[in-house]
Amino acid sequence: MEGNVTITSAPEAIKPAINRLMWLALFMIFIGVAGAVYAQIIGHHHAFANTREMPWGMLIGVYAYFAIISTGLCVLAAFSHVFGGNRMAPVANRMVWLSIMALLGAFTVIGLEIENPWRMPLGVILHPNVTSNIWWMGTLYGMAVGIMLLEFGLILTKRFTAAVIFGVLAAIAESLANSNLGSVFASLSSHPFWYGAQLPIFFLGSAVLSGAAAIVLFTHYSYILQKKEIGEYTFLSLQTAGKIMILMTFLVSVATGWKFANAYSGSEAMVMAADSLTSGPLSTNFWVFEIGIGLALPCLLLVVTRLKSVYVMSTAALMILVGQFFSRFNLVVSGEIVPANYGFVGVPQYFSYSPTVAEYLLVIAGFGVVGFGFLAGEWFLGKVFHHKVFHPHTDIDHH
Amino acid sequence: MKINDLEQLESEDITTLPSTERRTFLKMGLAVTGMYLSGTVLSLTTAGRVNAANVVPESGEYPYNPHYSMVMREHLCIDCERCKEACTKTNHVPSHGFRTTILEKRRSLGGDAYETIFVPVLCNHCNRPPCVRVCPTTATWKDEKTGIVVMEPSRCIGCKTCMAACPYNARYFKEETRAVDKCNFCLDTRLSKGETTTACAEACPADVRVFGNLADPDSRVFQLLHSPGTTVWVLRPETGAMPNVFYINS
């Protein structure tokens, strides 16, 4: 069988639904790119709400959001492929595919966010800066997407041993890229609320949480699209992802708690930044979305229902992904919201930032890319995602 | 053991210790005390090469020559903004941005009285510039000869990480060049053409801004920073950027 490509077309019954959704995703990409073109023409300075003092906004958060989901999926897939015994192997192929798609979504957003994307490909090769976290992040994520495409090619052609090796390499590249993304913020001593050694680890923890949530959500949606019952093995996979969600919502909550305990014993700027989230302009985002919907409620739902219902797990996963979206936004904005010159005449306590229409359009493009990727995967690769396809571990585990 | 037996035992009090053993013990005690004492005394003085303890590097330890720097004689500033005008004109700074500006702070003098202090700010041309470290395409770097932090606009991808990294809000995105722009001590517009000072320093009527080579003991900046009794400070020293714009009151 080695060497046989298993790209197939979707079953006729589900084609119309996927077709419609694919057009919707394409439309989302189209309006997002239209927004980006508009922003380029009139200038990001006018199109986006960013300022000299707050050069980064929602789009940086959304880039990090997709990149972090990608890392989580890739790392969990590698663990499942290598060790098998964690029962997630049946959904590991879908995780690899979605990881690639999430990263492409991230690249779409960051590519449209930066002012001169055309200067980047040659710039990072001809004039690299090895002290730059951005450089490492871009290089490693770029490598990761390449390695994962190779890995997926090997999965399709059933060269599983090589695929596992590439999967591990991809997971290492993704993890290092992700912690570099953390360090983009964490190494800036000018922003004390970002600065510190733990943020890259927080990002990796968020990645595992987001990745587990993403695979539950997308697998469930895949079965809804197919109008099929989730089989036993796949359900066991989702339960494992559910356990990871419980563990990681707890750990991320603990990390968040200490972050604030630490901030409140820090400098005035740290206290003000923490206040912006707990009682200031970002407090609704923080309490309702990041903590309530994103961490506390899904954790509670999963524990109370004891991972028995796929609908509950899927709902919790959606809540977690909404919470993670807000978490990235909150992180970016809270780190910049306190003016460096606070205390001087005319300098406000907090800068104000609310994203513009153009910024929302770019976010839609990012979701469009990930959505299109998911649907394309279901259309062409549905068979590869089936639990019986992949490697010996799967069969050994379930018999 | 009975009391009578105890009395038969050899005494273990200090009178029976040989004098060498007592001396050794005393020496050890003195050594321990001495270590703690000297540690305490040393911590009160400036440690030799720790630059963080002193914002002005020790004489002879400047990484560059000329090591360009600026001294702000802060209390002389009257906020006339001629520095800003000169900078804008010389360096083609657009109206939506600035390379240098003047901040204003109020200090209470008790009751309703307060004094207003104007603080001119610009790029600090740090010895450890966070902006340079973070740029993915080396579009900004420390000029090897002068230590000035310069920009190459054609390399800038517009990720704005340097703007986020700068502790001094000294950078802005210049739409005209599609690149981040910043003060370069007029390197291209004046210094390279034989001028010896920046446009802002030349335009200042109150002699607030003093520009020069800190590595030259005869320069005015060196002498201002090394005059006895002068308190020198920098902005945001906690970031570890080691800035080269110094502030004094005299």
Side-chain angles (χ1 to χ4, degrees):
Chain A
M1 285 297 281
E2 195 169 291
N4 284 0
V5 179
T6 51
I7 291 179
T8 52
S9 184
E12 288 302 321
I14 65 166
K15 271 185 176 174
I18 295 187
N19 217 350
R20 271 197 301 276
L21 288 170
M22 273 175 137
W23 280 110
L24 174 68
L26 280 176
F27 178 70
M28 287 165 72
I29 297 171
F30 172 76
I31 59 168
V33 173
V37 170
Y38 160 79
Q40 278 289 0
I41 291 169
I42 71 157
H44 287 188
H45 185 69
H46 303 289
F48 298 159
N50 301 120
T51 58
R52 175 183 185 130
E53 289 79 15
M54 291 189 79
W56 291 341
M58 179 168 69
L59 295 175
I60 297 296
V62 175
Y63 161 71
Y65 174 68
F66 286 130
I68 283 173
I69 292 174
S70 169
T71 301
L73 286 164
C74 178
V75 170
L76 290 173
F79 266 88
S80 310
H81 277 158
V82 173
F83 301 114
N86 70 0
R87 292 178 184 275
M88 282 178 83
V91 291
N93 288 356
R94 182 179 275 116
M95 286 200 270
V96 175
W97 176 256
L98 288 174
S99 177
I100 299 169
M101 292 307 127
L103 207 43
L104 293 182
F107 287 163
T108 304
V109 175
I110 198 72
L112 300 177
E113 194 273 345
I114 63 172
E115 299 266 0
N116 309 312
W118 55 88
R119 286 179 187 165
M120 188 170 59
L122 272 183
V124 293
I125 293 166
L126 297 179
H127 314 290
N129 182 3
V130 292
T131 63
S132 161
N133 295 112
I134 295 261
W135 187 85
W136 280 106
M137 178 189 69
T139 304
L140 289 163
Y141 269 135
M143 278 169 59
V145 87
I147 297 171
M148 280 194 290
L149 283 170
L150 276 172
E151 179 195 0
F152 207 81
L154 292 165
I155 291 172
L156 288 178
T157 51
K158 299 191 174 63
R159 293 179 174 92
F160 295 134
T161 312
V164 169
I165 293 167
F166 277 86
V168 172
L169 289 176
I172 293 169
E174 280 256 6
S175 303
L176 294 176
N178 186 293
S179 52
N180 263 289
L181 170 58
S183 189
V184 165
F185 302 97
S187 66
L188 301 187
S189 57
S190 54
H191 295 269
F193 199 54
W194 286 337
Y195 187 71
Q198 302 308 317
L199 195 60
I201 300 297
F202 183 81
F203 271 29
L204 282 170
S206 300
V208 176
L209 174 63
S210 305
I215 194 57
V216 169
L217 191 78
F218 282 113
T219 303
H220 185 219
Y221 287 0
S222 161
Y223 279 81
I224 291 175
L225 275 175
Q226 296 175 54
K227 296 185 179 126
K228 271 173 42 180
E229 285 290 308
I230 291 181
E232 185 194 345
Y233 299 142
T234 305
F235 184 72
L236 287 172
S237 303
L238 299 189
Q239 273 195 328
T240 304
K243 286 178 200 166
I244 295 173
M245 287 196 285
I246 294 175
L247 176 66
M248 293 315 295
T249 44
F250 176 70
L251 293 185
V252 169
S253 300
V254 171
T256 306
W258 281 115
K259 187 176 161 186
F260 281 87
N262 191 56
Y264 280 119
S265 57
S267 64
E268 189 190 14
M270 294 272 271
V271 173
M272 284 171 70
D275 277 346
S276 76
L277 290 159
T278 55
S279 56
L282 298 166
S283 57
T284 309
N285 274 2
F286 179 69
W287 289 116
V288 177
F289 290 98
E290 181 173 341
I291 300 296
I293 293 174
L295 293 171
L297 281 176
C299 184
L300 197 69
L301 268 179
L302 292 169
V303 170
V304 167
T305 59
R306 301 191 64 76
L307 308 170
K308 294 266 166 47
S309 157
V310 73
Y311 289 95
V312 173
M313 286 198 285
S314 171
T315 307
L318 179 64
M319 290 166 79
I320 285 168
L321 288 173
V322 169
Q324 287 292 293
F325 184 94
F326 278 87
S327 176
R328 301 295 96 79
F329 179 96
N330 291 346
L331 174 103
V332 172
V333 177
S334 64
E336 302 169 307
I337 201 169
V338 180
N341 297 325
Y342 177 63
F344 286 90
V345 175
V347 177
Q349 184 187 14
Y350 293 122
F351 292 122
S352 66
Y353 169 78
S354 49
T356 59
V357 174
E359 287 173 76
Y360 281 109
L361 290 178
L362 264 65
V363 175
I364 290 171
F367 279 104
V369 168
V370 178
F372 187 82
F374 162 66
L375 294 163
E378 297 304 316
W379 184 286
F380 296 112
L381 305 163
K383 226 176 170 182
V384 187
F385 297 152
H386 195 267
H387 76 85
K388 279 181 184 158
V389 180
F390 194 56
H391 71 94
H393 281 311
T394 316
D395 296 329
I396 291 164
D397 291 337
H398 298 302
H399 291 292
Chain B
M1 189 178 274
K2 289 178 180 169
I3 189 80
N4 290 342
D5 294 336
L6 269 175
E7 280 178 353
Q8 299 298 313
L9 289 172
E10 199 179 325
S11 167
E12 287 182 9
D13 70 14
I14 53 165
T15 56
T16 63
L17 279 175
S19 66
T20 48
E21 203 163 317
R22 275 187 278 172
R23 278 186 194 179
T24 312
F25 179 76
L26 202 62
K27 269 186 195 168
M28 189 179 75
L30 282 172
V32 170
T33 315
M35 261 176 73
Y36 275 102
L37 190 68
S38 60
T40 315
V41 173
L42 280 175
S43 71
L44 296 175
T45 60
T46 307
R49 286 171 178 269
V50 180
N51 286 327
N54 190 352
V55 294
V56 185
E58 287 298 311
S59 180
E61 288 181 14
Y62 306 107
Y64 305 93
N65 193 2
H67 185 108
Y68 285 126
S69 60
M70 190 173 279
V71 176
M72 299 288 188
R73 302 164 74 208
E74 190 181 82
H75 277 222
L76 300 178
C77 181
I78 52 167
D79 195 27
C80 69
E81 298 197 344
R82 285 195 203 171
C83 52
K84 288 179 71 173
E85 285 168 27
C87 174
T88 302
K89 204 173 156 191
T90 307
N91 299 301
H92 314 292
V93 179
S95 59
H96 64 82
F98 60 84
R99 286 185 175 197
T100 182
T101 192
I102 299 166
L103 302 174
E104 181 183 342
K105 66 181 172 189
R106 280 183 173 199
R107 193 170 75 97
S108 170
L109 301 175
D112 293 337
Y114 62 86
E115 72 168 337
T116 298
I117 302 158
F118 297 107
V119 185
V121 290
L122 72 168
C123 170
N124 280 244
H125 299 280
C126 309
N127 285 353
R128 295 175 65 215
C131 54
V132 168
R133 182 185 68 77
V134 300
C135 178
T137 54
T138 54
T140 188
W141 64 90
K142 284 282 274 183
D143 180 48
E144 282 181 15
K145 204 173 159 205
T146 61
I148 292 174
V149 176
V150 292
M151 269 298 299
E152 170 49 56
S154 68
R155 285 192 197 174
C156 177
I157 63 168
C159 68
K160 300 174 183 171
T161 314
C162 57
M163 290 165 63
C166 175
Y168 304 107
N169 188 22
R171 292 171 166 264
Y172 71 100
F173 191 81
K174 187 175 181 180
E175 290 166 64
E176 291 76 1
T177 54
R178 299 198 66 88
V180 168
D181 187 48
K182 64 177 289 298
C183 160
N184 61 358
F185 277 159
C186 297
L187 180 64
D188 55 336
T189 48
R190 290 175 60 92
L191 298 186
S192 62
K193 293 174 182 166
E195 299 280 354
T196 55
T197 189
T198 61
C200 57
E202 189 180 71
C204 179
D207 198 20
V208 175
R209 296 175 184 239
V210 181
F211 174 79
N213 175 11
L214 192 54
D216 174 10
D218 295 328
S219 72
R220 205 167 152 225
V221 285
F222 183 95
Q223 288 173 356
L224 282 170
L225 296 183
H226 293 87
S227 338
T230 305
T231 303
V232 183
W233 70 95
V234 294
L235 303 178
R236 303 197 71 188
E238 78 282 2
T239 62
M242 298 172 70
N244 282 305
V245 174
F246 304 95
Y247 292 78
I248 59 174
N249 257 355
S250 55

